[in-house]
Amino acid sequence: LTMTLAVPSWKTLAAFRLGTRFGESDPFFQMDLGFYTGWLPLETAAYVWALTLLVLVSAMVIALYALTPSLKWQNGTFHVSVRARRHLAILASLFLLTMAWSYRLDGYEVLVDGSGPDGMFSYVDHQWLLPAYLSLSIGTVAAAALVLLSGWMGRVRAGFFTISAVLIFSVSLDLI
């Protein structure tokens, strides 16, 4: 029921289905302008739907694990079973992949609504934000693989530091 609220509107699906081609492309990504009117709104709606699903499933998984002995607080320390740790590592990797998807979409959004006056695309957008979003997207995909591998093998600290590095790197690039 909750997921039906995040389904893309029929207008977004119709714009994608029509697939209008303009015969003109943007100079930065070499995408036809129809990409920005048809595909990008649908992909953004799919991103919101996937993020909503991931948050709901993660909350449900954590709540259900909390009801079992897989997650327990004992003698002042937090214990996680191997299966729960691996499951949580997969969920953390999926969150990182969703972040990478967000950075990809942010790169396109910079072209649509730049940081210049009246939302114009500026020199800073071209020279800083587009490469920053691209590097964040690629780095976050690599971090997702590292978190999955470290969580699977029981190296929780490596996964924690990887997630922390991604968050620090993304916040610092946004501030700069």
Side-chain angles (χ1 to χ4, degrees):
L1 181 64
T2 304
M3 292 310 300
T4 59
L5 299 174
V7 171
S9 71
W10 68 269
K11 294 176 189 176
T12 305
L13 293 171
F16 169 71
R17 176 111 167 109
L18 284 174
T20 306
R21 308 273 306 159
F22 287 88
E24 186 74 31
S25 60
D26 73 88
F28 302 101
F29 293 115
Q30 279 71 42
M31 303 296 272
D32 186 81
L33 296 181
F35 171 83
Y36 296 98
T37 60
W39 176 257
L40 192 60
L42 180 65
E43 186 178 349
T44 303
Y47 164 76
V48 169
W49 186 86
L51 183 62
T52 305
L53 179 66
L54 186 59
V55 167
L56 289 174
V57 168
S58 297
M60 190 168 54
V61 165
I62 291 169
L64 290 174
Y65 271 131
L67 295 175
T68 68
S70 296
L71 296 178
K72 61 183 170 184
W73 188 266
Q74 186 178 29
N75 298 330
T77 59
F78 191 64
H79 294 282
V80 180
S81 71
V82 173
R83 290 182 187 201
R85 184 193 69 232
R86 289 179 175 174
H87 202 167
L88 295 175
I90 291 169
L91 288 174
S93 295
L94 288 173
F95 269 109
L96 287 173
L97 289 174
T98 307
M99 281 179 64
W101 190 6
S102 169
Y103 295 139
R104 178 183 176 279
L105 291 174
D106 288 345
Y108 290 120
E109 285 298 319
V110 166
L111 284 179
V112 174
D113 188 26
S115 64
D118 296 327
M120 305 258 312
F121 188 71
S122 68
Y123 178 80
V124 172
D125 296 334
H126 175 61
Q127 295 298 321
W128 177 254
L129 284 180
L130 288 181
Y133 283 134
L134 177 64
S135 63
L136 276 172
S137 182
I138 292 170
T140 306
V141 169
L146 184 61
V147 165
L148 179 63
L149 184 63
S150 65
W152 196 267
M153 295 174 56
R155 310 282 188 244
V156 178
R157 285 187 183 164
F160 175 75
F161 287 126
T162 303
I163 292 172
S164 299
V166 167
L167 292 176
I168 290 169
F169 189 59
S170 66
V171 168
S172 63
L173 280 178
D174 273 345
L175 289 176
I176 291 173

